[in-house]
Coordinates of all heavy atoms in Angstrom, one line a residue:
G397 N 9.0 40.1 -19.7 CA 9.1 41.3 -20.6 C 9.9 41.0 -21.8 O 10.2 42.0 -22.5
I398 N 10.3 39.8 -22.1 CA 11.1 39.6 -23.3 C 10.1 39.6 -24.5 O 9.2 38.7 -24.6 CB 11.9 38.3 -23.3 CG1 12.7 38.2 -22.0 CG2 12.8 38.1 -24.5 CD1 13.3 36.9 -21.7
P399 N 10.3 40.5 -25.5 CA 9.4 40.5 -26.6 C 9.4 39.2 -27.4 O 10.4 38.6 -27.5 CB 9.9 41.7 -27.5 CG 10.9 42.4 -26.7 CD 11.4 41.5 -25.6
S400 N 8.2 38.8 -27.8 CA 8.1 37.6 -28.7 C 8.3 36.3 -28.0 O 8.3 35.2 -28.6 CB 9.0 37.7 -29.9 OG 8.4 38.3 -30.9
E401 N 8.5 36.3 -26.7 CA 9.0 35.1 -26.0 C 7.8 34.0 -26.0 O 8.1 32.8 -26.2 CB 9.4 35.4 -24.6 CG 10.2 34.3 -23.9 CD 11.5 34.0 -24.5 OE1 11.8 34.4 -25.6 OE2 12.3 33.3 -23.8
V402 N 6.6 34.5 -25.8 CA 5.5 33.5 -25.8 C 5.3 32.9 -27.2 O 5.2 31.7 -27.3 CB 4.2 34.1 -25.3 CG1 3.1 33.1 -25.2 CG2 4.4 34.8 -23.9
H403 N 5.4 33.7 -28.2 CA 5.3 33.3 -29.5 C 6.4 32.3 -29.8 O 6.2 31.2 -30.4 CB 5.4 34.5 -30.5 CG 5.3 34.2 -31.9 ND1 6.4 33.7 -32.6 CD2 4.3 34.2 -32.8 CE1 6.0 33.5 -33.9 NE2 4.7 33.8 -34.0
R404 N 7.6 32.6 -29.4 CA 8.7 31.7 -29.7 C 8.5 30.3 -29.0 O 8.8 29.3 -29.5 CB 10.1 32.3 -29.2 CG 11.3 31.6 -29.5 CD 12.6 32.2 -29.0 NE 12.7 32.0 -27.5 CZ 13.1 30.9 -26.9 NH1 13.4 29.9 -27.6 NH2 13.2 30.9 -25.6
L405 N 8.1 30.4 -27.7 CA 7.9 29.1 -27.0 C 6.7 28.3 -27.5 O 6.8 27.1 -27.6 CB 7.6 29.4 -25.5 CG 8.8 29.9 -24.7 CD1 8.4 30.0 -23.2 CD2 10.0 28.9 -24.8
W406 N 5.7 28.9 -28.0 CA 4.6 28.2 -28.6 C 5.0 27.5 -29.9 O 4.7 26.4 -30.2 CB 3.3 29.1 -28.8 CG 2.1 28.3 -29.3 CD1 1.5 28.5 -30.4 CD2 1.4 27.3 -28.6 NE1 0.4 27.6 -30.5 CE2 0.3 26.8 -29.4 CE3 1.6 26.6 -27.3 CZ2 -0.5 25.8 -29.0 CZ3 0.7 25.6 -26.9 CH2 -0.3 25.2 -27.8
N407 N 5.8 28.3 -30.6 CA 6.4 27.7 -31.9 C 7.2 26.5 -31.5 O 7.1 25.5 -32.2 CB 7.2 28.8 -32.6 CG 7.6 28.4 -33.9 OD1 6.8 28.1 -34.8 ND2 8.9 28.3 -34.2
R408 N 8.0 26.7 -30.5 CA 8.9 25.6 -30.1 C 8.1 24.4 -29.6 O 8.4 23.2 -30.0 CB 9.8 26.1 -28.9 CG 10.8 25.1 -28.4 CD 12.0 25.0 -29.4 NE 13.1 24.2 -28.9 CZ 13.2 22.9 -28.9 NH1 12.3 22.1 -29.5 NH2 14.2 22.3 -28.4
R409 N 7.1 24.6 -28.8 CA 6.2 23.6 -28.3 C 5.5 22.8 -29.5 O 5.6 21.6 -29.5 CB 5.2 24.2 -27.4 CG 4.5 23.2 -26.5 CD 3.1 22.9 -27.1 NE 2.5 21.8 -26.4 CZ 1.9 20.8 -27.0 NH1 1.7 20.7 -28.2 NH2 1.4 19.8 -26.2
Q410 N 5.0 23.6 -30.4 CA 4.2 22.9 -31.5 C 5.1 22.2 -32.4 O 4.8 21.1 -32.9 CB 3.4 24.0 -32.2 CG 2.2 24.6 -31.5 CD 1.2 23.5 -31.0 OE1 1.4 22.9 -30.0 NE2 0.1 23.4 -31.7
T411 N 6.3 22.7 -32.7 CA 7.2 22.0 -33.6 C 7.8 20.8 -33.0 O 8.3 19.9 -33.7 CB 8.3 23.0 -34.2 OG1 8.9 23.6 -33.1 CG2 7.7 24.1 -35.1

Side-chain angles (χ1 to χ4, degrees):
I398 308 171
S400 269
E401 195 65 346
V402 182
H403 181 279
R404 187 182 73 78
L405 286 185
W406 186 242
N407 189 58
R408 183 74 170 88
R409 194 261 171 221
Q410 291 299 82
T411 52

